[in-house]
Amino acid sequence: MTMGTLNVTIPTGGESNTDLTPEEEALLADIRIRKEKLLSEIQQLKCEIADVDWELVKMDEIDDSKTDSRTKKIIAATRKFGMDPKKGIEYMIDNGLLKNTPEEVAQFLYKGEGLNKTAIGNYLGEFNDFNIKVLQSFVYLHEFADMILVQALRQFLWSFRLPGEAQKIDRMMEAFAKRYCESNPGVFTNEDTCYVLSFAIIMLNTSLHNPSVRDKPSVERFISMNRGINDGGDLPRELLESLYDSIKKEPFKIPDDDGNDLTHTFFNPDKEGWLLKQGGRYKNWKRRWFILTDNCLYYFEYTTDKEPRGIIPLENLNVKDNDIKESKKPFCFELFSSDGNSVIKACKTDAEGKVVEGRHQIYRMSAASADERDDWTKSIRASISQDPFYNMLVARKKKATHKV
């Protein structure tokens, strides 16, 4: 997560503000001290970053030993891939470490030696001709023959981490379903059935093993949920029971990444900066550090925090300017659901550190200037998704249940 300077005007030590109470004066003094401390930490981080950059430059220098030079380039490429998968692949191709073919890149990702699993998932999900061919080659490196569906899913989902973007998930799971059906002809009537059942298994895994889900689905509910998905007919009860038992006994293993996932997520945000945020139950305003990335708006108490205080997914939301004069907060904007009435799907941590669902129908923020507000609303509007994953899944399920 990048650091930013404090966007607040603070009087110098010799100035006095007659509008402030003694308590506010004391708070202002404390802010001055914290500002100086933060500026010192920022300078120290800049020095450390400069040292790291220098080390990376030295690693890229031509070495007399070809073996050492190649090793250093591979290390540099692995790091670049974790930060930006596309640039990491381009670096390897430009330096002769990979051939510029989908098959070669897919083989490299499939081996996954030292690669960030989240970055692999994001690269495979990209929508362009080359990446789609890489995804197809990557899926065909998996052998699913004579495997029950849950076993194939375990193998597939261990080779990368599913990205958060709905369209990427759709493409990757569609490629999986096609490969599984080709490897196991006759198990399902069509690929849509495999696709829908695969997602039913993934959601079952979450429902059974996520501690926050209290209402655990029974095998009967799982069977009922999947009625009619085999081209209008039902799948064998024995098959669905075996899938249910497998997931209940052993949840999916999620591959660990090298490094912190949040650090990777926030490495190259679309926008970040300080905003004032209005509370929900109590309409007080608190200063928060906001980061816009991956179609989500994250907010932190401090720029040094490793985990966000809250997350607002930007699905089916709208954003507009709204200067609230009675609150004495200028340059305001607000987020609200597309239908204008629904509670926004979001989460935050409470005073005890527990993750709880947000209850906002409207999120209100205040920027430091009109230009800053306009920049935030423009950036957020560009990140809002009006095509959530569940709509695609519903459409696919309708297709799977329709008799030809």
Side-chain angles (χ1 to χ4, degrees):
M1 185 172 72
T2 55
M3 300 287 289
T5 56
L6 295 177
N7 193 8
V8 62
T9 303
I10 300 176
T12 58
E15 295 177 354
S16 176
N17 193 329
T18 56
D19 294 333
L20 299 180
T21 65
E23 291 79 8
E24 290 172 333
E25 288 281 4
L27 178 60
L28 195 58
D30 181 61
I31 291 175
R32 291 194 195 102
I33 295 173
R34 287 171 56 190
K35 176 187 176 184
E36 293 302 321
K37 183 179 178 181
L38 281 173
L39 291 175
S40 176
E41 291 176 353
I42 291 169
Q43 187 59 43
Q44 182 179 353
L45 282 173
K46 286 181 178 179
C47 293
E48 292 176 359
I49 291 171
D51 291 340
V52 172
D53 287 342
W54 174 243
E55 291 296 325
L56 290 175
V57 170
K58 289 195 295 183
M59 285 177 60
D60 287 336
E61 290 179 350
I62 298 176
D63 195 280
D64 293 335
S65 169
K66 292 184 179 179
T67 302
D68 288 345
S69 177
R70 180 179 176 83
T71 301
K72 289 177 180 179
K73 286 179 180 178
I74 290 175
I75 293 173
T78 301
R79 290 176 176 173
K80 289 177 184 292
F81 182 84
M83 297 176 182
D84 188 320
K86 183 179 178 180
K87 290 183 180 178
I89 295 297
E90 290 175 350
Y91 177 87
M92 296 198 75
I93 293 172
D94 292 342
N95 284 274
L97 302 174
L98 275 180
K99 293 180 181 178
N100 190 16
T101 66
E103 295 78 14
E104 184 87 5
V105 175
Q107 187 70 43
F108 170 69
L109 299 178
Y110 181 74
K111 291 180 179 178
E113 297 177 357
L115 296 181
N116 182 290
K117 297 283 189 176
T118 300
I120 294 175
N122 284 326
Y123 184 84
L124 291 172
E126 287 296 330
F127 185 61
N128 60 63
D129 291 341
F130 186 82
N131 287 65
I132 289 174
K133 291 177 181 177
V134 172
L135 172 61
Q136 293 169 348
S137 298
F138 179 86
V139 173
Y140 275 80
L141 290 171
H142 291 269
E143 293 295 339
F144 298 142
D146 299 321
M147 284 187 178
I148 66 170
L149 184 60
V150 70
Q151 291 174 328
L153 274 172
R154 290 187 195 279
Q155 180 191 133
F156 186 58
L157 296 178
W158 179 252
S159 59
F160 63 95
R161 297 193 74 169
L162 277 173
E165 188 176 331
Q167 288 81 4
K168 290 184 178 181
I169 297 174
D170 181 62
R171 286 190 289 273
M172 297 169 80
M173 295 306 297
E174 188 173 63
F176 166 80
K178 180 180 180 181
R179 173 60 171 161
Y180 183 84
C181 289
E182 289 179 357
S183 302
N184 300 275
V187 174
F188 302 112
T189 303
N190 54 52
E191 295 171 11
D192 292 314
T193 300
C194 181
Y195 176 103
V196 172
L197 184 57
S198 296
F199 269 111
I201 293 171
I202 293 172
M203 289 187 286
L204 175 67
N205 179 79
T206 301
S207 299
L208 289 178
H209 299 288
N210 189 329
S212 64
V213 178
R214 296 180 181 178
D215 185 18
K216 306 295 184 185
S218 64
V219 64
E220 293 299 330
R221 192 198 301 180
F222 180 67
I223 292 172
S224 177
M225 286 170 54
N226 291 288
R227 285 204 173 99
I229 68 171
N230 198 25
D231 199 15
D234 292 344
L235 292 167
R237 181 183 179 90
E238 296 77 14
L239 171 64
L240 296 176
E241 286 179 343
S242 67
L243 295 175
Y244 182 93
D245 291 339
S246 178
I247 290 297
K248 187 175 181 179
K249 291 176 182 177
E250 184 183 357
F252 285 127
K253 293 181 179 178
I254 305 300
D256 293 327
D257 273 328
D258 295 329
N260 186 289
D261 283 345
L262 290 179
T263 300
H264 174 73
T265 299
F266 303 135
F267 183 79
N268 188 27
D270 299 320
K271 184 171 177 59
E272 61 183 335
W274 290 106
L275 292 170
L276 291 175
K277 173 185 167 296
Q278 189 179 49
R281 180 181 301 179
Y282 306 104
K283 301 301 181 182
N284 55 335
W285 294 79
K286 293 184 179 180
R287 194 165 175 265
R288 295 288 183 253
W289 178 258
F290 280 81
I291 289 182
L292 176 64
T293 185
D294 290 339
N295 304 105
C296 285
L297 193 59
Y298 301 81
Y299 57 91
F300 302 75
E301 188 169 359
Y302 304 108
T303 57
T304 51
D305 289 346
K306 294 182 179 180
E307 296 184 0
R309 290 292 302 273
I311 304 173
I312 309 171
L314 298 175
E315 282 187 351
N316 292 336
L317 299 184
N318 286 324
V319 60
K320 68 175 183 179
D321 297 348
N322 187 10
D323 286 340
I324 310 167
K325 296 180 180 180
E326 61 270 18
S327 68
K328 299 182 179 179
K329 299 297 179 186
F331 316 124
C332 286
F333 63 92
E334 63 182 36
L335 289 169
F336 56 98
S337 61
S338 296
D339 61 18
N341 297 315
S342 299
V343 173
I344 295 174
K345 293 181 180 179
C347 64
K348 62 178 181 179
T349 53
D350 62 14
E352 298 177 355
K354 296 180 180 178
V355 178
V356 297
E357 291 186 15
R359 297 295 180 185
H360 288 256
Q361 285 187 308
I362 295 175
Y363 279 91
R364 289 193 179 98
M365 275 74 75
S366 171
S369 66
D371 288 343
E372 186 69 8
R373 177 199 58 200
D374 294 343
D375 194 25
W376 270 108
T377 56
K378 179 181 178 181
S379 299
I380 291 173
R381 193 171 287 115
S383 295
I384 288 175
S385 168
Q386 297 294 344
D387 186 20
F389 158 72
Y390 289 103
N391 284 349
M392 292 190 296
L393 183 56
V394 168
R396 188 65 65 100
K397 190 168 184 177
K398 288 181 179 178
K399 184 180 177 183
T401 57
H402 177 67
K403 289 185 177 181
V404 179

